[in-house]
Coordinates of all heavy atoms in Angstrom, one line a residue:
Chain A
C23 N 94.6 83.1 98.4 CA 95.6 82.6 99.4 C 95.4 81.1 99.5 O 94.3 80.6 99.7 CB 95.3 83.3 100.8 SG 96.2 82.6 102.1
T24 N 96.6 80.4 99.4 CA 96.6 79.0 99.7 C 97.7 78.7 100.7 O 98.6 79.5 100.9 CB 96.9 78.2 98.4 OG1 98.1 78.6 97.9 CG2 95.8 78.3 97.4
Y25 N 97.5 77.6 101.4 CA 98.5 77.3 102.5 C 99.0 75.9 102.4 O 98.3 75.0 101.8 CB 97.9 77.6 103.8 CG 96.7 76.7 104.2 CD1 97.0 75.5 104.9 CD2 95.4 77.0 103.9 CE1 95.9 74.6 105.2 CE2 94.4 76.2 104.2 CZ 94.6 75.0 104.9 OH 93.6 74.1 105.2
T26 N 100.1 75.6 103.0 CA 100.6 74.3 103.2 C 100.9 74.2 104.7 O 101.6 75.0 105.3 CB 102.0 74.1 102.5 OG1 101.7 74.3 101.1 CG2 102.5 72.7 102.7
A27 N 100.3 73.1 105.3 CA 100.5 73.0 106.8 C 100.5 71.5 107.1 O 99.7 70.7 106.5 CB 99.5 73.8 107.5
T28 N 101.2 71.1 108.1 CA 101.2 69.7 108.5 C 100.1 69.3 109.5 O 99.9 68.2 109.7 CB 102.6 69.4 109.2 OG1 102.8 70.4 110.2 CG2 103.7 69.4 108.2
G29 N 99.4 70.3 110.0 CA 98.3 70.1 110.9 C 97.0 70.8 110.4 O 96.8 70.9 109.2
Y30 N 96.3 71.3 111.4 CA 95.0 72.0 111.1 C 95.2 73.5 111.6 O 94.9 73.7 112.8 CB 93.9 71.3 111.8 CG 93.7 69.9 111.3 CD1 94.2 68.8 112.0 CD2 93.1 69.6 110.1 CE1 94.1 67.5 111.5 CE2 93.0 68.3 109.6 CZ 93.5 67.3 110.3 OH 93.4 66.0 109.9
P31 N 95.6 74.4 110.7 CA 95.9 75.7 111.2 C 94.7 76.6 111.4 O 93.6 76.3 110.9 CB 96.7 76.3 110.1 CG 96.2 75.6 108.8 CD 95.9 74.2 109.3
S32 N 94.9 77.6 112.2 CA 93.9 78.8 112.1 C 94.4 79.7 111.1 O 95.6 79.9 110.8 CB 93.9 79.5 113.5 OG 93.4 78.7 114.5
L33 N 93.5 80.4 110.4 CA 93.9 81.3 109.2 C 93.4 82.7 109.5 O 92.3 82.9 110.1 CB 93.2 80.7 108.0 CG 93.6 79.3 107.6 CD1 92.8 78.8 106.4 CD2 95.1 79.2 107.2
F34 N 94.2 83.6 109.0 CA 93.9 85.0 109.3 C 94.2 85.9 108.0 O 94.9 85.5 107.1 CB 94.9 85.6 110.3 CG 95.0 84.8 111.6 CD1 95.7 83.6 111.7 CD2 94.2 85.2 112.7 CE1 95.8 82.9 112.9 CE2 94.3 84.5 113.9 CZ 95.0 83.3 114.0
W35 N 93.5 87.0 107.9 CA 93.8 88.1 107.0 C 94.1 89.3 107.9 O 93.3 89.7 108.7 CB 92.7 88.4 106.0 CG 92.7 87.5 104.8 CD1 91.9 86.4 104.6 CD2 93.5 87.6 103.7 NE1 92.2 85.8 103.4 CE2 93.2 86.5 102.8 CE3 94.6 88.4 103.3 CZ2 93.8 86.3 101.6 CZ3 95.2 88.2 102.1 CH2 94.8 87.2 101.2
Y36 N 95.3 89.9 107.6 CA 95.7 91.1 108.2 C 95.8 92.2 107.1 O 96.1 91.9 106.0 CB 97.1 91.0 108.9 CG 97.1 90.5 110.3 CD1 97.0 89.1 110.5 CD2 97.1 91.3 111.4 CE1 97.0 88.5 111.8 CE2 97.1 90.7 112.7 CZ 97.0 89.4 112.9 OH 97.0 88.8 114.1
V37 N 95.5 93.5 107.5 CA 95.6 94.6 106.6 C 96.6 95.6 107.1 O 96.6 95.9 108.3 CB 94.2 95.2 106.3 CG1 93.5 95.7 107.6 CG2 94.3 96.3 105.3
Q38 N 97.3 96.2 106.2 CA 98.3 97.3 106.5 C 98.0 98.5 105.7 O 98.2 98.5 104.5 CB 99.7 96.8 106.3 CG 100.8 97.8 106.7 CD 102.2 97.3 106.4 OE1 102.4 96.6 105.5 NE2 103.1 97.8 107.2
Y39 N 97.4 99.5 106.3 CA 97.2 100.8 105.7 C 98.5 101.6 105.6 O 99.4 101.4 106.4 CB 96.1 101.6 106.4 CG 94.8 100.8 106.4 CD1 94.3 100.2 107.5 CD2 94.0 100.8 105.2 CE1 93.1 99.5 107.5 CE2 92.8 100.1 105.2 CZ 92.3 99.5 106.4 OH 91.2 98.8 106.3
P40 N 98.6 102.5 104.6 CA 99.8 103.3 104.4 C 100.3 103.9 105.7 O 99.6 104.6 106.4 CB 99.4 104.3 103.4 CG 98.3 103.7 102.6 CD 97.5 102.9 103.6
G41 N 101.6 103.7 106.0 CA 102.2 104.3 107.2 C 101.9 103.7 108.5 O 102.2 104.2 109.6
E42 N 101.2 102.6 108.5 CA 100.7 102.0 109.8 C 101.2 100.5 109.9 O 101.7 99.9 108.9 CB 99.2 102.0 109.8 CG 98.6 103.4 109.8 CD 97.1 103.3 110.0 OE1 96.5 102.2 110.3 OE2 96.5 104.4 109.8
G43 N 101.1 100.0 111.1 CA 101.3 98.5 111.3 C 100.2 97.7 110.8 O 99.1 98.2 110.4
L44 N 100.4 96.4 110.9 CA 99.3 95.5 110.4 C 98.2 95.5 111.5 O 98.4 95.7 112.7 CB 99.8 94.1 110.3 CG 100.6 93.7 109.0 CD1 101.9 94.4 109.0 CD2 100.7 92.2 108.9
Q45 N 97.0 95.2 111.1 CA 95.9 95.0 112.0 C 95.0 93.8 111.5 O 94.9 93.6 110.3 CB 95.0 96.2 112.2 CG 94.5 96.8 111.0 CD 93.8 98.2 111.2 OE1 92.6 98.2 111.6 NE2 94.5 99.2 111.1
L46 N 94.5 93.1 112.5 CA 93.7 91.9 112.1 C 92.4 92.3 111.4 O 91.7 93.2 111.9 CB 93.3 91.1 113.4 CG 92.5 89.9 113.1 CD1 93.3 88.8 112.3 CD2 92.0 89.3 114.5
L47 N 92.1 91.7 110.2 CA 90.9 92.0 109.5 C 89.8 90.9 109.8 O 88.7 91.2 110.1 CB 91.2 92.0 108.0 CG 90.1 92.3 107.0 CD1 89.4 93.7 107.3 CD2 90.5 92.2 105.6
L48 N 90.2 89.6 109.7 CA 89.3 88.6 110.0 C 90.1 87.3 110.2 O 91.2 87.2 109.9 CB 88.2 88.4 108.9 CG 88.7 88.2 107.4 CD1 89.1 86.8 107.1 CD2 87.7 88.7 106.4

Side-chain angles (χ1 to χ4, degrees):
Chain A
C23 171
T24 57
Y25 67 88
T26 302
T28 50
Y30 300 98
S32 294
L33 300 172
F34 306 84
W35 278 100
Y36 277 79
V37 58
Q38 183 181 28
Y39 297 106
E42 298 182 9
L44 283 70
Q45 56 186 275
L46 180 66
L47 181 60
L48 52 84

